Amino acid sequence: MAAYTCPMHPDVCRQMPGACPVCGMALEAVDAAAAEGANPELFDMTRRFWVSTVLTLPVFLLAMSEMIPGGPLKEVIRGRVAVLLQFLLSTPVVFWGGWPFFQRGFTSILRRSPNMFTLIMLGTSAAYGYSVAAVFMPSVFPAAFRAHSGGPGVYFEAAAVITTLVLLGQVLELRARHRAGLAIRELLDLAPKTACIIREGGVEEQIPLGQVKPGDCLRVRPGEKVPADGVVLEGTSPVDESMVSGEPVPVGKSPGAKVTGATVNGTGSLVIRAERVGGDTLLAQIVHLVSEAQKSRAPIQRLADVVSGYFVPLVLLAAAAAFIVWLLAGPEPRMAYALVNAVSVLIVSCPCALGLATPMSIMVGVGRGAQAGVLIRKAEALETLERVDTLIVDKTGTLTEGKPKLTAVYPAALFTESELLCLAASLELASEHPLSQAVVSGARAKGISLSEAGNFRSLTGRGITGTVGGRSVAVGNRRLMEELNVEIGPLLEQAERAAENGQTVVFTAVDNRPAGLFAAEDTLKASTREAVDILRRERVRIIMATGDGLKTAEAVGKQLGLDAVYANVTPAGKRDLAKRLQSEGHLVAMAGDGINDAPALAQADVGIAMGGGTDVAMQSADITLVKGDLRGIARARRLSRATMRNIRQNLFFAFIYNLLGVPVAAGLLYPFFGILLSPMLAGATMSFSSVSVIGNALRLRRVKLWPS
């Protein structure tokens, strides 16, 4: 069963669609897939709006006929007949068209949580109730209530027009929120509906996407969408991965390359093996992250919450004050003027624009980020990122490709190169570290047969130990050798020479004796230099923290012109570095892709996981860069600045409407200019404020995230 939550109050969760008991806004489906299809709330409000419009138009014309000398309505429908027609036509508008507002307003009173629907309910019911009494009990009204016609004035048109305008505002808001969720729906639509499976014997069959299982071999023809996350088995072809990276340049794929579901195959035919299907695919994870982030709240929302908490009671006091002042000091008929101005204050002050200011911008901004390959898990990260002044980056997989290649083998005395490779690679088989894979690949490239290892242990930030063929083997960095009391002096000269060339050094010990070392090189990502330059121009201090040795780290740092380099850093050390920088007053972002980066990602003010990294890193981070490209951080910062600027604009619009509208509605300009704001114009102004906020938020869908 689908769950529904409120965009303004995410802690409110229900199993059925309806209205939020706190603010009265329509609840939205938590699961993006559940939100597909027709929106029942939008359909209901649209129907109420059009029916109310048809009934309100003659009510408005009848009420205005007094101002049209010799008008046709005045000649045909006169006096009490016109008033009764207004009553008959406005009643279904107020009580059927406006019924959702009465329900939400009454609930707000019962919960002692007044909101915009409280004001709407009070304003329309005051205008309508007063008018009904004026029609059916005119004798009970004192002289102060008499209009120029001699009887009490009626305001059926005000009640009907206000209800219709609020319905229009709700329809526009619901449509805008529907449009704001298009990013999710567009992502869902990217997945193909079917897949071509290759059965035993080479028979190909078209099956529904839901029937694809991990391990299935699938044919992807030119121009077709890749049906699942997997690996290429046969064929070469360019693949358009813009749906995950935001970049339009196709990426060449050949056997062994990873492919992502919903990306578009180019000119060649591919055979892939499905590895992740259904809810486990990258596309499904993106949809889930975007949906969750759109429901999260930025800290700036607290300002709107605090203001809203005091605003409605203050408006009620302002309306009461306006009523009393006009009743005591206004012109005749005083009571009529007092009622009209009090109702105008209630209507113009509805804080719907204030409530929408932040959620709408967050919703649209998160969706825009997803389209550019920037997945935001928390709105708080989106707010914080624009103020980040320090970025800590891991080296392997973040600055570099994360696919080191074995470049040299230096066996110690009494060991041959083949023997060293056999022992080390046999142990490394059990490890998923990129350096381990480099050693294993190097051994296999030389045709060396590997053995099964026992007693395997992974020592985070240091290396691995175990037994191979009854011999004790340890493979790792200098710290591990020191812990095991292995004397590596004879190997240090080669190690330092390799490190000075930017290579990573891995030592090997057998039976507690030095057996040799390996040198591996991990090339920088093609985009790393550009990304570093962009971030430095934005005055972001970039610090590298890596588990590699000092010489290797310094070589990479010098290549990129980084502000600081920390070598031989453990996972706890990365976390402590982030904590120390925070204590010095810096706002810190951490970018990494491995399990060893998870503590620092969680500690940083903003954790940024590189796509393709470990699940632990992605779960610890606030933002995930789908392509694993550091330029994505610059895009995320642009999105952060644009979104926060948009929120501030929205809050300004909301505040300025209310700050100017309430005094005008209360009649402040009347003594000087003879200007009064009728309840109908107050309703139009209130609706326009919401439309302004919504329209401004939707501009984020077109914000440019790439440098000029």
Side-chain angles (χ1 to χ4, degrees), residues 158 203 236 253 335 367 428 475 562 669:
V203 178
T236 59
K253 299 292 181 181
M335 183 61 74
E428 297 276 28
V475 182
L562 302 181
L669 299 180

Side-chain angles (χ1 to χ4, degrees), residues 11-259:
D11 52 315
V12 174
C13 190
R14 299 286 186 271
Q15 296 303 313
M16 297 291 290
C20 172
V22 179
C23 67
M25 290 182 68
L27 300 179
E28 294 180 346
V30 172
D31 182 5
E36 290 187 286
N39 184 330
E41 179 82 6
L42 176 57
F43 175 79
D44 180 59
M45 287 293 181
T46 303
R47 182 181 57 178
R48 291 177 189 271
F49 166 69
W50 284 115
V51 172
S52 297
T53 299
V54 171
L55 295 174
T56 297
L57 187 58
V59 174
F60 180 77
L61 292 175
L62 284 167
M64 295 298 105
S65 64
E66 291 291 332
M67 303 180 185
I68 308 174
L73 278 175
K74 185 176 180 182
E75 296 299 323
V76 177
I77 305 172
R78 295 174 177 272
R80 188 166 177 80
V81 175
V83 172
L84 287 173
L85 273 176
Q86 291 181 55
F87 164 71
L88 292 173
L89 292 171
S90 65
T91 298
V93 174
V94 173
F95 288 104
W96 178 78
W99 183 245
F101 311 143
F102 279 87
Q103 282 183 312
R104 298 172 190 183
F106 188 67
T107 301
S108 71
I109 293 174
L110 291 179
R111 292 179 60 89
R112 297 179 183 177
S113 177
N115 53 47
M116 67 178 188
F117 294 105
T118 315
L119 304 180
I120 293 169
M121 181 187 71
L122 292 175
T124 54
S125 59
Y128 179 82
Y130 172 86
S131 301
V132 169
V135 171
F136 295 104
M137 296 180 291
S139 60
V140 303
F141 288 82
F145 285 71
R146 306 290 175 181
H148 299 294
S149 60
V154 294
Y155 299 98
F156 289 118
E157 85 285 356
V161 171
I162 288 167
T163 301
T164 304
L165 285 170
V166 175
L167 282 168
L168 174 62
Q170 290 291 294
V171 169
L172 293 174
E173 177 189 326
L174 288 166
R175 282 184 180 174
R177 281 160 59 184
H178 183 75
R179 286 179 62 197
L182 280 179
I184 293 181
R185 284 181 284 279
E186 287 170 358
L187 288 171
L188 287 168
D189 290 340
L190 289 173
K193 307 303 178 188
T194 61
C196 181
I197 188 171
I198 303 176
R199 305 286 190 187
E200 290 185 11
V203 178
E204 297 184 6
E205 179 185 350
Q206 208 74 16
I207 62 173
L209 186 64
Q211 294 182 13
V212 175
K213 300 185 296 295
D216 285 347
C217 288
L218 307 172
R219 168 80 64 187
V220 188
R221 300 183 182 89
E224 290 184 339
K225 292 181 178 180
V226 178
D229 294 359
V231 62
V232 176
L233 299 178
E234 299 176 17
T236 59
S237 179
V239 175
D240 180 358
E241 296 186 330
S242 58
M243 57 80 62
V244 293
S245 67
E247 295 186 0
V249 181
V251 179
K253 299 292 181 181
S254 56
K258 298 281 187 181
V259 289

Side-chain angles (χ1 to χ4, degrees), residues 394-405:
D394 177 43
K395 181 178 81 72
T396 305
T398 303
L399 298 176
T400 65
E401 294 287 354
K403 298 176 182 177
K405 293 181 180 178

